Amino acid sequence: MSQNRKVVLVIGAGDATGGAIARRFAREGYIACVTRRSADKLQPLVDAIRAEGGEAHGFASDARKEEAVIELVETIERDIGPIEAFVFNIGANVPCSILEETARKYFKIWEMACFSGFLTGREVAKRMVKRQRGTILFTGATAGLRGASGFAAFAGAKHGIRALAQSMARELGPMGLHVAHVVVDGAIDTEFIRDNFPERYKLKDQDGILAPEHIADSYWYLHSQPRDAWTFELDLRPWIERW
């Protein structure tokens, strides 16, 4: 394995934002390593990157499981290349009244959207620190800044991942690692929004919802920043979004 090979690892490479980020980095020559819990759902993304001339590898991995995360990072570093950029992109945006929320679901949302960010971020950081370089990017949301009615579990998890990113940035920045948190504030152009919020989806024609490709451009921008001018937090929203 050549150490000249550069890897971007995207945890939670879905059909929208995560996939667009992987494709964006692949166009810059990075080997895209992408994960979801189901490997079958990754194949269209892997095929698309390869069709565009890039290299991609899909991994079925549960980011909540410590042993699975350790094995994933070790496999990529050993068999594919050094992870130069890491993106944590698991959402778990599940609304529920606090009066009806169950302990099981609350804990699962926290595991998915916060705890798994700690596990994956820790393992990648261990490798990057040895090289004194690397970018770690966490996808956040409005819920990470303020909790909304009916979103107690999601807000708690997203507040947690933002705090994790802040702590990591302060600790690892002096070691050469760029850690950043991206607040995605608004509806994204996905099948979920199209099918469940058709009125909101109509705003696409007015640039009223976020295009995954444009979000991905911002992730590449963060990774490309010189270390004398690093951004910690970047917020993205459509021009008509109220905030």
Side-chain angles (χ1 to χ4, degrees):
M1 182 190 70
S2 171
Q3 288 300 309
N4 292 326
R5 291 161 63 84
K6 298 179 293 185
V7 172
V8 58
L9 171 59
V10 181
I11 302 292
D15 300 327
T17 304
I21 294 169
R23 294 174 73 171
R24 181 67 176 85
F25 276 74
R27 289 200 298 272
E28 300 292 340
Y30 280 67
I31 302 166
C33 290
V34 294
T35 78
R36 292 180 74 165
R37 279 182 289 174
S38 173
D40 292 342
K41 293 182 178 180
L42 286 169
Q43 199 57 49
L45 173 60
V46 171
D47 290 343
I49 291 173
R50 291 173 178 172
E52 294 168 356
E55 182 177 343
H57 304 270
F59 297 87
S61 181
D62 190 337
R64 300 170 297 171
K65 306 300 183 183
E66 185 172 24
E67 292 183 359
V69 169
I70 293 172
E71 180 182 1
L72 171 70
V73 174
E74 287 182 346
T75 298
I76 293 171
E77 290 269 344
R78 182 187 63 240
D79 299 339
I80 300 175
I83 299 170
E84 299 289 341
F86 166 76
V87 177
F88 179 78
N89 189 59
I90 295 178
N93 187 353
V94 183
C96 185
S97 166
I98 193 65
L99 303 176
E100 300 172 357
E101 188 70 88
T102 65
R104 178 179 177 275
K105 186 158 72 69
Y106 186 100
F107 184 71
K108 183 177 181 181
I109 290 171
W110 172 80
E111 273 192 312
M112 292 174 63
C114 184
F115 181 64
S116 56
F118 153 70
L119 287 178
T120 52
R122 181 195 67 187
E123 289 306 306
V124 170
K126 287 180 180 179
R127 305 293 183 134
M128 291 181 173
V129 163
K130 294 178 181 179
R131 296 187 285 263
Q132 296 184 306
R133 68 178 189 274
T135 303
I136 295 176
L137 305 175
F138 292 97
T139 298
T142 312
L145 305 179
R146 59 182 184 274
S149 174
F151 289 88
F154 184 59
K158 282 300 184 181
H159 270 71
I161 204 70
R162 184 173 184 243
L164 172 72
Q166 287 178 339
S167 293
M168 289 180 66
R170 291 186 168 100
E171 179 179 351
L172 303 177
M175 301 180 190
L177 276 60
H178 182 191
V179 182
H181 178 255
V182 182
V183 180
V184 181
D185 181 20
I188 302 173
D189 184 0
T190 63
E191 291 185 5
F192 176 79
I193 297 297
R194 183 193 66 196
D195 296 341
N196 294 278
F197 302 94
E199 291 303 313
R200 174 60 66 90
Y201 194 78
K202 289 179 182 178
L203 297 176
K204 177 180 177 179
D205 294 336
Q206 305 174 41
D207 298 324
I209 59 177
L210 290 140
E213 295 77 14
H214 297 160
I215 297 174
D217 286 339
S218 291
Y219 279 68
W220 176 254
Y221 161 73
L222 288 170
H223 176 60
S224 303
Q225 286 182 324
R227 64 180 183 176
D228 67 317
W230 275 348
T231 295
F232 167 68
E233 191 160 72
L234 181 69
D235 55 339
L236 303 172
R237 64 181 60 84
W239 64 285
I240 59 174
E241 186 76 21
R242 295 182 61 185
W243 64 291

